[in-house]
Amino acid sequence: DKADMDVEAFEDGFLAKIITGEGESAPVGDVVALIAVEESDIAAIAAGGAGDTAASAPAAEEAPAAPAAAAAAAPDCEFSQVDMPALSSTMKEGKVVSWLKAEGDAISSGEAIMVVESDKADMDVEAFEDGFLAKIITGEGESAPVGDVVALIAVEESDIAAIAAGGAGDTAASAPAAEEAPAAPAAAAAAAPDCEFSQVDMPALSSTMKEGKVVSWLKAEGDAISSGEAIMVVESDKADMDV
């Protein structure tokens, strides 16, 4: 149930440094490459590595939230979760503009269930499986970091009440943030280059995707890139995706 998808650049620039090489994997939201605005800054950015400490900070800050989520008992029935997707490579959090389904409603795979405001535009987010919207965790007008659980989906209608009572008690979903925290000092140890640059993060190509594998880079370090141009191919956890 894997599929390879092209990932596009969201701005013009130059591919200064590839951090996650071909065949390597990275968690959703992790920096996989750095983009220089000016060609003359490529060397400085490449030397600085992934030293954008601000990009690493959110993982460390999220770690304390794990025990709180774990405090809610996970319901003893089959369910899945809807995570806040990364709708662009620069998106760190999303705002729920509206829910298109109410708690208790049946949902179908491929059906739009909410509208999310990204740092680019408002976009419909689709369900990736059939089920019932058991609990909305992030309400309309509220924001959540990319990868955070925003709703729970029941497989069976009879399990809605139990899942709603359990809240966001899927401790496994909270674990990755805690595990990522120690990585922050390592990234911070590399000095951030003193020039303008942006980063390419591993995008969430589905609501269930936790990490992605770089199949290939379509650009080499030093190459010019244009907004909207495919720069890498990522293996997602879904076979059918609208691009």
Side-chain angles (χ1 to χ4, degrees):
D1 60 344
K2 306 280 187 182
D4 295 346
M5 294 185 61
D6 290 350
V7 175
E8 300 176 353
F10 287 92
E11 51 236 311
D12 298 338
F14 298 86
L15 184 55
K17 185 175 181 67
I18 292 173
I19 296 166
T20 303
E22 294 184 352
E24 297 178 347
S25 298
V28 167
D30 266 25
V31 183
V32 297
L34 300 178
I35 306 296
V37 175
E38 302 293 337
E39 188 173 12
S40 56
D41 293 331
I42 292 174
I45 293 169
D52 183 7
T53 56
S56 304
E61 291 165 8
E62 284 167 25
D76 186 23
C77 51
E78 191 176 356
F79 69 100
S80 60
Q81 58 196 38
V82 179
D83 297 341
M84 177 61 71
L87 302 176
S88 78
S89 64
T90 56
M91 179 173 163
K92 297 301 180 189
E93 70 171 14
K95 178 181 178 181
V96 177
V97 177
S98 63
W99 282 97
L100 306 177
K101 293 286 186 175
E103 291 182 349
D105 284 357
I107 57 177
S108 301
S109 177
E111 183 178 21
I113 56 172
M114 65 173 172
V115 179
V116 168
E117 178 184 288
S118 74
D119 58 348
K120 304 291 180 184
D122 292 351
M123 295 183 63
D124 290 349
V125 175
E126 300 176 354
F128 287 93
E129 50 237 311
D130 299 337
F132 299 86
L133 183 54
K135 185 176 181 68
I136 292 172
I137 296 167
T138 304
E140 294 183 353
E142 297 177 346
S143 297
V146 167
D148 267 24
V149 183
V150 297
L152 300 178
I153 306 295
V155 175
E156 302 293 337
E157 189 173 11
S158 57
D159 293 331
I160 291 175
I163 293 169
D170 184 8
T171 56
S174 303
E179 290 165 9
E180 284 167 26
D194 186 22
C195 52
E196 190 176 355
F197 70 100
S198 61
Q199 58 195 38
V200 179
D201 297 340
M202 177 61 70
L205 301 176
S206 78
S207 64
T208 57
M209 180 174 162
K210 298 301 179 189
E211 71 171 15
K213 179 181 177 182
V214 177
V215 178
S216 63
W217 282 96
L218 306 177
K219 293 287 185 176
E221 290 181 349
D223 284 356
I225 57 177
S226 300
S227 177
E229 183 178 21
I231 56 172
M232 66 173 173
V233 180
V234 169
E235 180 182 274
S236 80
D237 59 348
K238 294 293 179 183
D240 299 319
M241 289 283 297
D242 291 333
V243 181

